[in-house]
Amino acid sequence: MPASPPVAFIGYYIALKDRVRILTPRQIAVAVFLLAFAIRIVGIFATHQYRDLERFELERVSLSLAETGLFGNPYAIPTGPTAHVSPGYPLLLAAIFRIFGSGTTAEIVKQIFASACSAAVCAAIPAVSSIFRLPGAVGLGTAMFTALLPLKFRTETEGAWEAPFAALGLMLVISLTVLAWRE
């Protein structure tokens, strides 16, 4: 007679837990990264969001920087130099636009780049949770949840906003602060 669903689930959970214990933290991070990255890439190409070439302020500044060398023109009409956006991410986007142009190819590269950063955020969660001395299951569970279910899919993959990069930077700064504080 087969086991009831809850008993079978518990058995699968125990087997998975034993397998995860033999993985190193680096192997877990790589597995979470690959899972998160694959889900986001499949989503990008399934939804064809790379075909939408509408540009927002940050991207317009990046295009202006790539095409004219001017950190400016964030709006639909030329406005000159600007302090409307922070300089970090527009510089990265300007490099992408300079190398790949401003069409669909650049859009795909930009979205793959943003997806890789979002996947890196997911992969870093177990390490950050261990720095905060949370149980390993909490970090791994949270990492798997964020990898499997991108709640803000377009923000994480479109590359029009610096949110994934800011999240990764914030995780790094907070982790280093906690480590330094404990010293």
Side-chain angles (χ1 to χ4, degrees), residues 14-24 27-28 140:
I14 291 170
L16 179 64
K17 188 176 175 185
D18 291 339
R19 286 186 184 154
V20 168
R21 279 190 183 152
I22 62 172
L23 296 175
T24 66
Q27 290 171 326
I28 291 172
L140 182 60

Side-chain angles (χ1 to χ4, degrees), residues 52-132:
D52 180 13
L53 297 179
E54 179 185 1
R55 304 293 184 197
F56 299 105
E57 287 90 355
L58 192 140
E59 295 166 301
R60 288 186 185 132
V61 169
S62 300
L63 280 169
S64 173
L65 189 59
E67 294 170 355
T68 67
L70 174 70
F71 192 88
N73 302 324
Y75 304 111
I77 58 171
T79 57
T82 187
H84 185 68
V85 296
S86 60
Y89 186 54
L91 290 172
L92 291 172
L93 280 186
I96 290 173
F97 290 140
R98 181 85 173 167
I99 295 167
F100 298 100
S102 60
T104 305
T105 302
E107 190 68 20
I108 291 170
V109 171
K110 178 183 73 152
Q111 291 184 16
I112 288 172
F113 183 55
S115 297
C117 184
S118 294
V121 168
C122 297
I125 290 173
V128 172
S129 72
S130 71
I131 290 170
F132 282 94

